[in-house]
Amino acid sequence: KGVLLVPFDGGIEIMAGARNRGDVVETILSEIGSDSAVAYLGGEPTDEDGFAALRGRGLNVLVRHQYRRTLADVWLRPPTEVGAFLNAWIAECNTVG
């Protein structure tokens, strides 16, 4: 409990409480239908909890200029590759829905 200060590439992230991004992913997954398409995009070490929680149930995307070891399924460099991914994701969702 309390406040954690976690360093990342752009500075320091302030995290409140004992919950992490994996807990948030688990909560979201429990509230949406099992047929929902889910992707988690992140690039900081704290995103690894989210990647772990989503593993096998969606697509984990590492978003960084430089690759690092990760649980993510794919790596995209911002901004061009991320923009292309999001446009393709939206187009696919529009054809399915």
Side-chain angles (χ1 to χ4, degrees):
K1 295 181 182 177
V3 175
L4 298 174
L5 302 177
V6 180
F8 72 99
D9 288 344
I12 294 178
E13 180 174 357
I14 300 171
M15 298 177 64
R19 293 181 52 98
N20 62 40
R21 293 175 185 192
D23 298 324
V24 175
V25 169
E26 290 290 345
T27 299
I28 292 169
L29 290 174
S30 72
E31 295 176 359
I32 63 174
S34 61
D35 60 342
S36 297
V38 179
Y40 184 104
L41 285 73
E44 299 304 326
T46 52
D47 290 309
E48 293 300 318
D49 294 322
F51 294 154
L54 187 60
R55 188 152 215 134
R57 297 186 278 180
L59 180 66
N60 288 310
V61 182
L62 177 67
V63 177
R64 289 178 55 87
H65 290 283
Q66 300 229 347
Y67 180 80
R68 65 169 174 77
R69 286 187 60 140
T70 180
L71 295 175
D73 304 305
V74 297
W75 168 41
L76 298 177
R77 291 178 189 94
T80 306
E81 292 178 358
V82 175
F85 169 81
L86 293 173
N87 286 329
W89 185 275
I90 290 167
E92 184 62 27
C93 288
N94 287 334
T95 62
V96 173

